Amino acid sequence: MISEDKAKTIGQEWIESWNRHDLDAIMSHYAEEIEFISPFIIKLLGDASGTIKGKEALRSYFAKGLDTYPELKFELLQILTGVESLTVYYRSVKEMLAAEVMVLDSQDKIAKAIVHYSANSISKI
């Protein structure tokens, strides 16, 4: 089980790095063999799988996202803890509600992330 303090630290640092648009700081949270799943991948990359594997591919995707949404700012709403995982619930780009489930590896890096958006906001992507 991840402690509440550890989950809060990871989640808050993750939000802060996104809000600074600091790509190096953002990427410092992810494992080399990251698997990242999001509806935004379908929209931004045209990849119907909605999945990116590997840190370099994820970096390119995040760079494109930051370029596409220069006004991007996340508002932290809640951090939930789990077994070897946490969920960050936040307000995302275009005021969409998002919940990102982050599975951590043994170094507390995100090894798998699955992003969810409120059903009525998916069309805003």
Side-chain angles (χ1 to χ4, degrees), residues 2 5 10 18 25 27 36 43 46 70 76 81 90 101 107 114:
I2 294 177
D5 286 342
I10 292 168
W18 274 104
M27 294 310 301
F36 188 86
K43 186 71 165 187
L76 179 61
T81 61
Y90 60 103
V101 178
Q107 285 78 46
I114 306 172

Side-chain angles (χ1 to χ4, degrees), residues 15-83:
I15 289 279
E16 289 167 7
S17 63
W18 274 104
N19 286 343
R20 289 192 315 271
H21 292 213
D22 183 339
L23 190 54
D24 289 334
I26 293 166
M27 294 310 301
S28 73
H29 297 280
Y30 294 90
E32 288 298 323
E33 300 302 318
I34 177 69
E35 180 180 15
F36 188 86
I37 303 166
S38 171
F40 264 95
I41 294 168
I42 298 167
K43 186 71 165 187
L44 288 179
L45 302 182
D47 182 342
S49 74
T51 302
I52 290 175
K53 293 185 179 179
K55 196 168 182 177
E56 285 309 309
L58 186 63
R59 182 182 188 87
S60 295
Y61 166 70
F62 284 165
K64 182 172 184 159
L66 289 170
D67 286 343
T68 303
Y69 300 102
E71 74 287 354
L72 178 136
K73 180 168 173 44
F74 293 162
E75 176 190 349
L76 179 61
L77 300 174
Q78 182 116 30
I79 297 172
L80 309 171
T81 61
V83 177

